[in-house]
Amino acid sequence: MKKCYHCGTSWEGFGAQPRERERCSVCRRHFHCCVNCHHLDTTLRSACRLKHTAYVGNRETLNYCEEFKMLDSNLRASEDRVSLAKSRWEQLF
C-alpha cells in the first residue's frame, strides 16, 4: 500500500507514481520526497540505496530525483522477509 510517510493517508492517485508536486490531501506534505521513497535506507551514509543519486539535505521536502519510487509497505515487508531469510541461510553454512 502506498501512503503518506507523515500521516499514513493512502495515496489515491493515478499511475504507478505520484506526480512531482503532488501533495497529501490531509497533511499537505509532498509525496515525492526521500522519506517516501523505496530506495531510502537510513543505515547508509548517503541514506539512499542507489549510489549515483545526488545528495538531498532535507529528506522530507520535495525533490526532483528521477530514480524516485514511492514506498509500497507491502513490497518493503516482503523484501525484508526475503533479506532476513537469505541472511539466516548464509549463517547456516
Side-chain angles (χ1 to χ4, degrees), residues 23-61:
R23 292 178 177 252
C24 175
S25 60
V26 176
C27 68
R28 305 300 300 156
R29 307 257 176 151
H30 288 283
F31 283 120
H32 201 286
C33 61
C34 290
V35 292
N36 222 21
C37 183
H38 181 77
H39 303 296
L40 179 73
D41 186 353
T42 56
T43 62
L44 300 174
R45 184 174 181 211
S46 66
C48 185
R49 293 180 183 171
L50 304 175
K51 296 182 189 281
H52 62 278
T53 56
Y55 177 77
V56 175
N58 186 351
R59 304 214 178 265
E60 293 185 6
T61 60

Side-chain angles (χ1 to χ4, degrees), residues 4-92:
C4 175
Y5 74 91
H6 186 258
C7 68
T9 302
S10 295
W11 176 63
E12 301 295 333
F14 299 103
Q17 302 296 325
R19 294 182 311 270
E20 288 179 344
R21 295 184 180 259
E22 193 169 347
R23 292 178 177 252
C24 175
S25 60
V26 176
C27 68
R28 305 300 300 156
R29 307 257 176 151
H30 288 283
F31 283 120
H32 201 286
C33 61
C34 290
V35 292
N36 222 21
C37 183
H38 181 77
H39 303 296
L40 179 73
D41 186 353
T42 56
T43 62
L44 300 174
R45 184 174 181 211
S46 66
C48 185
R49 293 180 183 171
L50 304 175
K51 296 182 189 281
H52 62 278
T53 56
Y55 177 77
V56 175
N58 186 351
R59 304 214 178 265
E60 293 185 6
T61 60
L62 171 68
N63 67 49
Y64 297 99
C65 179
E66 293 180 9
E67 301 296 327
F68 176 81
K69 180 179 176 187
M70 189 161 180
L71 178 64
D72 185 337
S73 57
N74 297 334
L75 177 62
R76 175 63 62 94
S78 71
E79 286 179 350
D80 289 346
R81 285 192 301 273
V82 168
S83 166
L84 180 62
K86 282 183 181 179
S87 67
R88 286 183 179 171
W89 176 259
E90 291 171 357
Q91 288 175 355
L92 289 174

